[in-house]
Every structure is written in structure tokens, then in C-alpha cells.
Short mmCIF file of all heavy atoms in Angstrom, two decimals:
data_model
loop_
_atom_site.label_atom_id
_atom_site.label_comp_id
_atom_site.label_asym_id
_atom_site.label_seq_id
_atom_site.Cartn_x
_atom_site.Cartn_y
_atom_site.Cartn_z
N GLU A 1 0.83 -1.19 0.01
CA GLU A 1 -0.02 0.01 0.00
C GLU A 1 0.89 1.27 0.00
O GLU A 1 1.30 1.73 1.07
CB GLU A 1 -0.90 -0.02 1.25
CG GLU A 1 -2.00 -1.09 1.17
CD GLU A 1 -3.02 -0.83 0.09
OE1 GLU A 1 -3.66 0.23 0.10
OE2 GLU A 1 -3.16 -1.66 -0.79
N THR A 2 1.24 1.76 -1.18
CA THR A 2 2.00 2.98 -1.25
C THR A 2 1.08 4.17 -0.97
O THR A 2 -0.12 4.03 -0.87
CB THR A 2 2.63 3.11 -2.64
OG1 THR A 2 1.58 3.22 -3.62
CG2 THR A 2 3.49 1.89 -2.97
N ILE A 3 1.72 5.33 -0.89
CA ILE A 3 0.92 6.53 -0.61
C ILE A 3 -0.08 6.77 -1.72
O ILE A 3 -1.22 7.14 -1.48
CB ILE A 3 1.87 7.74 -0.45
CG1 ILE A 3 2.76 7.55 0.79
CG2 ILE A 3 1.07 9.04 -0.35
CD1 ILE A 3 3.74 8.68 1.02
N GLY A 4 0.34 6.59 -2.98
CA GLY A 4 -0.56 6.80 -4.09
C GLY A 4 -1.72 5.82 -4.09
O GLY A 4 -2.88 6.22 -4.28
N VAL A 5 -1.46 4.55 -3.89
CA VAL A 5 -2.51 3.54 -3.84
C VAL A 5 -3.43 3.79 -2.65
O VAL A 5 -4.68 3.70 -2.79
CB VAL A 5 -1.90 2.12 -3.77
CG1 VAL A 5 -2.98 1.08 -3.58
CG2 VAL A 5 -1.12 1.84 -5.06
N GLU A 6 -2.88 4.08 -1.52
CA GLU A 6 -3.68 4.35 -0.34
C GLU A 6 -4.57 5.59 -0.56
O GLU A 6 -5.73 5.59 -0.15
CB GLU A 6 -2.82 4.58 0.89
CG GLU A 6 -3.56 4.77 2.19
CD GLU A 6 -2.65 5.00 3.38
OE1 GLU A 6 -1.41 4.86 3.20
OE2 GLU A 6 -3.14 5.27 4.45
N GLY A 7 -4.02 6.59 -1.23
CA GLY A 7 -4.84 7.78 -1.54
C GLY A 7 -6.00 7.45 -2.46
O GLY A 7 -7.10 7.96 -2.27
N MET A 8 -5.77 6.58 -3.46
CA MET A 8 -6.85 6.19 -4.36
C MET A 8 -7.92 5.42 -3.58
O MET A 8 -9.12 5.62 -3.80
CB MET A 8 -6.30 5.34 -5.49
CG MET A 8 -5.53 6.12 -6.52
SD MET A 8 -5.20 5.19 -8.04
CE MET A 8 -3.99 4.00 -7.45
N ARG A 9 -7.52 4.55 -2.68
CA ARG A 9 -8.51 3.79 -1.89
C ARG A 9 -9.30 4.73 -1.00
O ARG A 9 -10.54 4.58 -0.83
CB ARG A 9 -7.80 2.73 -1.04
CG ARG A 9 -7.16 1.61 -1.88
CD ARG A 9 -6.80 0.41 -1.01
NE ARG A 9 -6.03 -0.58 -1.74
CZ ARG A 9 -6.59 -1.44 -2.59
NH1 ARG A 9 -7.88 -1.46 -2.81
NH2 ARG A 9 -5.81 -2.31 -3.22
N GLU A 10 -8.63 5.67 -0.36
CA GLU A 10 -9.35 6.61 0.50
C GLU A 10 -10.35 7.44 -0.30
O GLU A 10 -11.47 7.72 0.16
CB GLU A 10 -8.33 7.53 1.21
CG GLU A 10 -7.48 6.84 2.24
CD GLU A 10 -8.26 6.41 3.45
OE1 GLU A 10 -9.37 6.95 3.68
OE2 GLU A 10 -7.77 5.51 4.19
N ARG A 11 -9.96 7.85 -1.48
CA ARG A 11 -10.90 8.62 -2.34
C ARG A 11 -12.07 7.77 -2.76
O ARG A 11 -13.21 8.26 -2.81
CB ARG A 11 -10.16 9.18 -3.55
CG ARG A 11 -9.17 10.25 -3.21
CD ARG A 11 -8.50 10.82 -4.46
NE ARG A 11 -7.50 11.83 -4.14
CZ ARG A 11 -7.77 13.11 -3.88
NH1 ARG A 11 -9.01 13.51 -3.91
NH2 ARG A 11 -6.81 13.95 -3.59
N ALA A 12 -11.82 6.52 -3.06
CA ALA A 12 -12.93 5.60 -3.45
C ALA A 12 -13.94 5.48 -2.30
O ALA A 12 -15.16 5.44 -2.54
CB ALA A 12 -12.40 4.24 -3.85
N LEU A 13 -13.44 5.40 -1.05
CA LEU A 13 -14.33 5.29 0.09
C LEU A 13 -15.24 6.50 0.26
O LEU A 13 -16.34 6.38 0.80
CB LEU A 13 -13.49 5.07 1.35
CG LEU A 13 -12.87 3.69 1.53
CD1 LEU A 13 -11.99 3.69 2.80
CD2 LEU A 13 -13.91 2.63 1.62
N LEU A 14 -14.79 7.64 -0.21
CA LEU A 14 -15.58 8.86 -0.08
C LEU A 14 -16.95 8.73 -0.75
O LEU A 14 -17.92 9.33 -0.33
CB LEU A 14 -14.85 10.05 -0.68
CG LEU A 14 -13.65 10.61 0.12
CD1 LEU A 14 -13.03 11.76 -0.60
CD2 LEU A 14 -14.08 11.01 1.52
N VAL A 15 -16.98 7.98 -1.85
CA VAL A 15 -18.21 7.88 -2.64
C VAL A 15 -18.70 6.41 -2.62
O VAL A 15 -19.42 5.98 -3.53
CB VAL A 15 -17.98 8.37 -4.10
CG1 VAL A 15 -17.78 9.87 -4.12
CG2 VAL A 15 -16.78 7.66 -4.71
N ASP A 16 -18.35 5.68 -1.56
CA ASP A 16 -18.78 4.29 -1.40
C ASP A 16 -18.32 3.41 -2.56
O ASP A 16 -19.02 2.48 -2.97
CB ASP A 16 -20.31 4.21 -1.26
CG ASP A 16 -20.79 4.85 0.01
OD1 ASP A 16 -20.05 4.83 1.01
OD2 ASP A 16 -21.91 5.40 0.00
N GLY A 17 -17.17 3.77 -3.14
CA GLY A 17 -16.69 3.03 -4.30
C GLY A 17 -15.77 1.88 -3.88
O GLY A 17 -15.35 1.75 -2.74
N ARG A 18 -15.44 1.05 -4.84
CA ARG A 18 -14.56 -0.09 -4.69
C ARG A 18 -13.41 0.02 -5.66
O ARG A 18 -13.63 0.19 -6.87
CB ARG A 18 -15.27 -1.41 -4.88
CG ARG A 18 -16.39 -1.66 -3.87
CD ARG A 18 -17.07 -3.01 -4.15
NE ARG A 18 -17.69 -3.04 -5.47
CZ ARG A 18 -18.90 -2.59 -5.73
NH1 ARG A 18 -19.62 -2.00 -4.80
NH2 ARG A 18 -19.39 -2.67 -6.96
N LEU A 19 -12.15 -0.06 -5.17
CA LEU A 19 -10.98 0.05 -6.00
C LEU A 19 -10.25 -1.28 -6.01
O LEU A 19 -10.01 -1.89 -4.98
CB LEU A 19 -10.04 1.13 -5.47
CG LEU A 19 -8.79 1.36 -6.31
CD1 LEU A 19 -9.14 2.12 -7.58
CD2 LEU A 19 -7.73 2.13 -5.49
N ALA A 20 -9.94 -1.79 -7.21
CA ALA A 20 -9.21 -3.04 -7.36
C ALA A 20 -8.01 -2.79 -8.24
O ALA A 20 -8.10 -2.17 -9.30
CB ALA A 20 -10.12 -4.10 -8.00
N ILE A 21 -6.85 -3.29 -7.80
CA ILE A 21 -5.60 -3.14 -8.53
C ILE A 21 -4.98 -4.52 -8.68
O ILE A 21 -4.78 -5.23 -7.68
CB ILE A 21 -4.62 -2.19 -7.83
CG1 ILE A 21 -5.25 -0.82 -7.61
CG2 ILE A 21 -3.32 -2.08 -8.60
CD1 ILE A 21 -4.38 0.15 -6.86
N GLY A 22 -4.73 -4.94 -9.91
CA GLY A 22 -4.20 -6.27 -10.11
C GLY A 22 -3.68 -6.43 -11.54
O GLY A 22 -3.61 -5.43 -12.31
N PRO A 23 -3.32 -7.65 -11.92
CA PRO A 23 -2.81 -7.85 -13.28
C PRO A 23 -3.94 -7.62 -14.33
O PRO A 23 -5.11 -7.91 -14.09
CB PRO A 23 -2.35 -9.32 -13.27
CG PRO A 23 -3.00 -9.93 -12.08
CD PRO A 23 -3.30 -8.86 -11.11
N GLY A 24 -3.54 -7.12 -15.48
CA GLY A 24 -4.47 -6.89 -16.55
C GLY A 24 -4.78 -8.16 -17.30
O GLY A 24 -4.13 -9.21 -17.11
N PRO A 25 -5.75 -8.15 -18.20
CA PRO A 25 -6.12 -9.35 -18.94
C PRO A 25 -5.00 -9.85 -19.86
O PRO A 25 -4.94 -11.05 -20.18
CB PRO A 25 -7.35 -8.91 -19.77
CG PRO A 25 -7.27 -7.43 -19.83
CD PRO A 25 -6.61 -7.00 -18.56
N ARG A 26 -4.12 -8.98 -20.28
CA ARG A 26 -3.00 -9.37 -21.17
C ARG A 26 -1.67 -8.91 -20.56
O ARG A 26 -0.76 -8.50 -21.26
CB ARG A 26 -3.19 -8.74 -22.56
CG ARG A 26 -4.46 -9.21 -23.27
CD ARG A 26 -4.54 -8.56 -24.65
NE ARG A 26 -5.77 -9.00 -25.32
CZ ARG A 26 -6.14 -8.59 -26.52
NH1 ARG A 26 -5.38 -7.69 -27.17
NH2 ARG A 26 -7.27 -9.01 -27.07
N GLY A 27 -1.54 -9.06 -19.26
CA GLY A 27 -0.36 -8.61 -18.59
C GLY A 27 -0.48 -7.16 -18.15
O GLY A 27 -1.54 -6.51 -18.34
N GLY A 28 0.59 -6.61 -17.63
CA GLY A 28 0.53 -5.24 -17.17
C GLY A 28 -0.29 -5.11 -15.91
O GLY A 28 -0.41 -6.09 -15.13
N THR A 29 -0.87 -3.95 -15.69
CA THR A 29 -1.62 -3.66 -14.45
C THR A 29 -2.97 -3.08 -14.86
O THR A 29 -3.08 -2.31 -15.81
CB THR A 29 -0.86 -2.66 -13.59
OG1 THR A 29 0.42 -3.18 -13.30
CG2 THR A 29 -1.61 -2.40 -12.28
N ALA A 30 -4.00 -3.44 -14.10
CA ALA A 30 -5.34 -2.91 -14.30
C ALA A 30 -5.81 -2.25 -13.00
O ALA A 30 -5.74 -2.86 -11.93
CB ALA A 30 -6.31 -4.04 -14.70
N VAL A 31 -6.23 -1.01 -13.14
CA VAL A 31 -6.84 -0.28 -12.01
C VAL A 31 -8.31 -0.08 -12.34
O VAL A 31 -8.64 0.51 -13.36
CB VAL A 31 -6.15 1.09 -11.82
CG1 VAL A 31 -6.84 1.86 -10.69
CG2 VAL A 31 -4.66 0.89 -11.50
N VAL A 32 -9.19 -0.60 -11.47
CA VAL A 32 -10.62 -0.57 -11.72
C VAL A 32 -11.29 0.10 -10.52
O VAL A 32 -11.11 -0.34 -9.38
CB VAL A 32 -11.20 -1.99 -11.93
CG1 VAL A 32 -12.69 -1.90 -12.15
CG2 VAL A 32 -10.52 -2.67 -13.08
N LEU A 33 -12.05 1.13 -10.83
CA LEU A 33 -12.81 1.83 -9.80
C LEU A 33 -14.30 1.70 -10.16
O LEU A 33 -14.70 2.05 -11.26
CB LEU A 33 -12.44 3.33 -9.76
CG LEU A 33 -13.29 4.22 -8.88
CD1 LEU A 33 -13.14 3.87 -7.40
CD2 LEU A 33 -12.96 5.73 -9.11
N GLU A 34 -15.08 1.20 -9.20
CA GLU A 34 -16.54 1.07 -9.38
C GLU A 34 -17.26 1.87 -8.32
O GLU A 34 -16.99 1.70 -7.11
CB GLU A 34 -16.94 -0.42 -9.30
CG GLU A 34 -16.39 -1.27 -10.44
CD GLU A 34 -16.90 -2.67 -10.36
OE1 GLU A 34 -17.27 -3.12 -9.25
OE2 GLU A 34 -16.91 -3.38 -11.39
N ILE A 35 -18.15 2.72 -8.77
CA ILE A 35 -18.90 3.61 -7.88
C ILE A 35 -20.40 3.38 -8.09
O ILE A 35 -20.89 3.55 -9.23
CB ILE A 35 -18.56 5.09 -8.13
CG1 ILE A 35 -17.05 5.31 -7.95
CG2 ILE A 35 -19.35 5.99 -7.22
CD1 ILE A 35 -16.62 6.72 -8.34
#
């Protein structure tokens, strides 16, 4: 949990959102925010 990732999670909580960070469908990284 870096400062940037933690900041994104805290912002998602502001609007009852869910943040997921993991591998992408073809490698790389996928950041998904659902509100």
C-alpha cells in the first residue's frame, strides 16, 4: 500500500466506491474503480 494507492482507496471510500488493482487481462496492471 504505497501513498498513491492508499490515496486512491481513500478517495474511493468517499463515494462508497470499490478500488481493485491487479494484473491486466493481457499482462501489465489494471486499475478498476466502481462507484
Side-chain angles (χ1 to χ4, degrees):
E1 290 293 301
T2 63
I3 295 178
V5 173
E6 183 179 354
M8 287 193 289
R9 294 195 187 280
E10 291 291 340
R11 290 182 182 278
L13 287 176
L14 287 179
V15 289
D16 295 328
R18 296 181 299 275
L19 182 74
I21 302 177
R26 299 181 180 177
T29 304
V31 178
V32 179
L33 172 66
E34 294 183 337
I35 301 175

